[in-house]
Amino acid sequence: MSSNPDLKSLNNICSQVRRDIVRMVHAVNSGHPGGSLGCTEYFVALFNHIMKYDSSFNIEGKGEDVFFLSNGHISPVFYSTLARAGFFDVKELSTFRKLDSRLQGHPATEEGLPGVRIASGSLGQGLSAAIGVALSKKLDGDDRNVFILMGDGEQQEGQVWEAAMFAAHNKVDNLIATIDYNGQQIDGPLEEVNSLGNLKAKYDAFGWDVLECDGNNLSELIETIEAARSKTGSGKPIMILMTTEMGKGVDFMEGTHKWHGVAPNDEQLADALSQLEETIGDY
Amino acid sequence: MKTKLTYTDKKDTRSGFGDGLLEAAKKNPQIVGLCADLTGSLKMNAFQKEFPDRFFQVGIAEANMMGIAAGLATAGKIPFTGTFANFSTSRVYDQLRQSIAYSEKNVKVCASHAGLTLGEDGATHQVLEDIGMTKMLPNFTVINPCDYHQTKAATMAIADHHGPVYLRFGRPGWPMFMQDQPFEIGKAITLIEGSDVSIFATGHMVWRAIEAEAILEDQGISAEVINIHTIKPLDEQAILQSVRKTGCAVSAEEHQMAGGLGESIAQTIVKNHLVPQEFVAVNDQFGESGKPEDLLDKYGLGVSDIVEKAKKAIRRKG
């Protein structure tokens, strides 16, 4: 897919995905709504405008753009987006985190959920796996791209920097990584827990091509990802530092770490849903 | 009079890996190799030279290497990772668990310099817990071949097996006594038949078990020596068939007693056919610097230890 995004249609999907997220975590009184809500535009843009893929899903992803979620705890937005993009029936969203479900608390391959290529949840491992697929695409002469999302708190994991160093040294330039830069982690703001310092300068120094954007502004986000796509093949891995607001779209969840891993109660759910229009039908 | 197993040459098992990898890669273009700055030690140079595009030098970053391997496997490649056994397991256990085992990735974790026989580098590098760590992971196959020929054959066999594999081998030159024969994963090999005691050995300890059998025979004791090259899945049928005949067992391995081959055999025996079992293994200790053979002797893995444990097992039959 390419330019001229249908912003109205994409925004409608975003609103529905946000409804899905709060309903899913409410139903099982667990899960991570904050980061999921913040990354909604990114997932919706990627799966409904940016990436070329076959929703019948083959795990190898040959000839397709492939996506990896490294910060697996934002599984609600991942699952909702996959379902809304036709990977599986939206009704299955009601099984999230329940016994015998394919929608595990953190994404997994064991149950065979279409769209998931590797387990994630224990942080810091996704970038390495994405590099592996990117290298494989180069070996096979496959010119599609690999997309990978990480959390900002996740940047505290050492393996991320092992992978960052490798990707630059080996010119893994078919890789478009994105960091959800919401500034919050479970115990509080990153600035208080363990500051990342100048993250752009760090990735610059590691030899990456770094772009920045507002991840909750759909048109700016799409422009940035397309700009990133145009930079592929030029010898450097690409990083998008995507500023988002944790909890975006539900006023009482916005901008705080308190909704990182807490589900809304019945009253809070009603409040949240009143702020999110049902556009293409609840599951 | 039993047929005696002998050897004329010694060779390191890691060379078996290097030669096996090259041969497997010539047959299967999907095979790729990754190494974390130990290409020479792992004997991966020939593969690197022959297939430079299919070789990835990751540097000293083992966690990243396991993750990249998982990604390559996702896309249909058959990655063989190479580093020391310690850095292949304890260093990267969560990567093995989440990105490879749980994610069911077809990655071959190939681990050299396992155990005490790594020698002079000492306990920091002498991993003695790796069999336990890997056998506990669902989906993993765990293999510890005993000599150059068997390591080469095992390396080629795991390329054709779909699923994560931990292949453990070592540094020093070691007697080459196995025939150059195809490797069957999970199928124990009876090297010497006997009737008084079953000795189940893996890795470098298989040769020591053969030496122990000769001493026992001189003392009028008939020992059966079985090469358990695959710890998981364990050939329970071969183990039970042997202990039903001999009535007692000795396990011998270059590993901690906790978590090792002996423990797996004990489970099999306890669940199916209870007989006395003795363990030749490291007993809750770290190793130290020294020569491989001396280290095995000091830490209770000597030929004489196998002999004594065999006699003790026989006495316990009552």
Side-chain angles (χ1 to χ4, degrees), chain A residues 7-25:
Chain A
L7 290 178
K8 184 167 187 298
S9 153
L10 292 174
N11 272 316
N12 279 343
I13 303 172
C14 285
S15 184
Q16 191 65 51
V17 166
R18 287 194 161 99
R19 284 182 70 89
D20 291 347
I21 292 165
V22 291
R23 292 181 68 230
M24 286 164 74
V25 298

Side-chain angles (χ1 to χ4, degrees), chain A residues 50-211:
Chain A
I50 303 285
M51 291 203 304
K52 182 196 165 199
Y53 61 87
D54 181 354
S55 62
S56 65
F57 190 64
N58 177 306
I59 198 162
E60 293 186 5
K62 289 192 194 303
E64 300 180 54
D65 290 325
V66 301
F67 170 74
F68 282 89
L69 176 64
S70 190
N71 47 331
H73 57 273
I74 65 166
S75 56
V77 65
F78 190 21
Y79 296 153
S80 168
T81 307
L82 289 173
R84 299 289 171 184
F87 281 81
F88 54 88
D89 195 316
V90 293
K91 287 196 193 88
E92 200 169 342
L93 294 175
S94 67
T95 70
F96 174 60
R97 284 182 172 242
K98 292 178 182 166
L99 207 59
D100 299 324
S101 173
R102 298 197 292 178
L103 279 61
Q104 291 294 298
H106 295 82
T109 58
E110 197 168 73
E111 297 78 15
L113 187 70
V116 180
R117 296 179 198 279
I118 197 164
S120 62
S122 174
L123 294 170
Q125 300 188 33
L127 184 57
S128 303
I131 289 169
V133 175
L135 292 173
S136 185
K137 285 194 178 297
K138 281 177 176 279
L139 280 176
D140 293 341
D142 176 348
D143 62 1
R144 302 313 302 184
N145 298 128
V146 180
F147 292 86
I148 152 94
L149 179 66
M150 295 182 278
D152 50 1
E154 187 176 11
Q155 303 304 303
Q156 293 160 357
E157 291 279 8
Q159 186 182 345
V160 171
W161 300 98
E162 294 183 6
M165 195 184 296
F166 177 95
H169 178 81
N170 290 279
K171 300 183 169 54
V172 185
D173 56 6
N174 52 347
L175 177 75
I176 301 174
T178 299
I179 291 172
D180 174 19
Y181 209 168
N182 60 28
Q184 307 288 336
Q185 57 190 112
I186 292 183
D187 273 359
L190 267 74
E191 287 304 315
E192 290 176 16
V193 176
N194 192 7
S195 172
L196 299 179
N198 188 335
L199 191 56
K200 179 176 186 307
K202 283 190 167 76
Y203 273 98
D204 277 336
F206 268 69
W208 288 57
D209 209 335
V210 186
L211 307 177

Side-chain angles (χ1 to χ4, degrees), chain B residues 1-269:
Chain B
M1 185 73 188
K2 292 179 180 178
T3 312
K4 288 295 165 198
L5 285 161
T6 55
Y7 72 96
T8 48
D9 288 317
K10 286 186 176 184
K11 204 166 181 178
D12 48 359
T13 50
R14 58 187 163 140
S15 286
F17 163 68
D19 293 348
L21 176 62
L22 181 64
E23 205 163 316
K26 283 177 180 168
K27 289 183 189 161
N28 189 338
Q30 296 305 320
I31 291 175
V32 294
L34 300 92
C35 192
D37 198 35
L38 289 168
T39 313
S41 296
L42 267 286
K43 305 292 179 187
M44 294 174 86
N45 312 75
F47 173 88
Q48 179 184 18
K49 193 171 171 217
E50 183 87 13
F51 302 108
D53 295 343
R54 287 157 59 185
F55 177 80
F56 300 103
Q57 170 59 268
V58 182
I60 310 164
E62 295 83 5
N64 186 41
M65 176 166 74
M66 295 306 169
I68 292 175
L72 285 158
T74 303
K77 302 297 174 195
I78 307 171
F80 282 65
T81 67
T83 183
F84 288 173
N86 188 33
F87 313 139
S88 297
T89 55
S90 45
R91 175 94 201 173
V92 295
Y93 198 53
D94 192 34
Q95 286 75 20
L96 295 190
R97 183 175 179 274
Q98 175 173 287
S99 289
I100 297 176
Y102 185 39
S103 297
E104 302 168 292
K105 298 305 180 196
N106 190 23
V107 176
K108 315 305 172 188
V109 179
C110 302
S112 185
H113 293 55
L116 293 166
T117 53
L118 166 133
E120 291 80 354
D121 277 348
T124 53
H125 289 48
Q126 290 162 344
V127 74
L128 292 164
E129 303 82 25
D130 52 329
I131 289 174
M133 282 186 275
T134 50
K135 83 174 186 183
M136 281 198 294
L137 292 174
N139 296 331
F140 251 92
T141 293
V142 180
I143 297 172
N144 187 20
C146 64
D147 76 347
Y148 167 87
H149 287 307
Q150 193 170 56
T151 308
K152 183 180 174 189
T155 304
M156 294 167 69
I158 63 174
D160 296 329
H161 166 87
H162 190 87
V165 174
Y166 180 62
L167 180 68
R168 179 195 215 232
F169 42 91
R171 172 174 173 263
W174 213 252
M176 282 198 291
F177 56 93
M178 293 293 290
Q179 291 171 345
D180 196 358
Q181 64 195 54
F183 185 88
E184 212 177 324
I185 295 170
K187 183 83 181 155
I189 300 171
T190 302
L191 295 172
I192 302 168
E193 290 190 9
S195 54
D196 297 331
V197 57
S198 304
I199 303 175
F200 302 106
T202 192
H204 288 142
M205 293 304 289
V206 175
W207 178 252
R208 293 209 148 189
I210 292 165
E211 292 185 311
E213 185 276 336
I215 294 169
L216 288 164
E217 196 196 13
D218 286 346
Q219 299 177 13
I221 295 168
S222 170
E224 181 148 292
V225 178
I226 300 185
N227 172 359
I228 309 282
H229 49 71
T230 306
I231 291 112
K232 183 185 168 189
L234 191 64
D235 190 346
E236 297 198 330
Q237 201 185 345
I239 290 164
L240 291 169
Q241 198 177 349
S242 181
V243 297
R244 282 195 173 105
K245 177 173 65 174
T246 64
C248 66
V250 174
S251 54
E253 62 194 307
E254 196 183 344
H255 191 272
Q256 299 287 359
M257 196 183 300
L261 167 68
E263 186 190 80
S264 293
I265 290 171
Q267 269 189 31
T268 304
I269 287 176

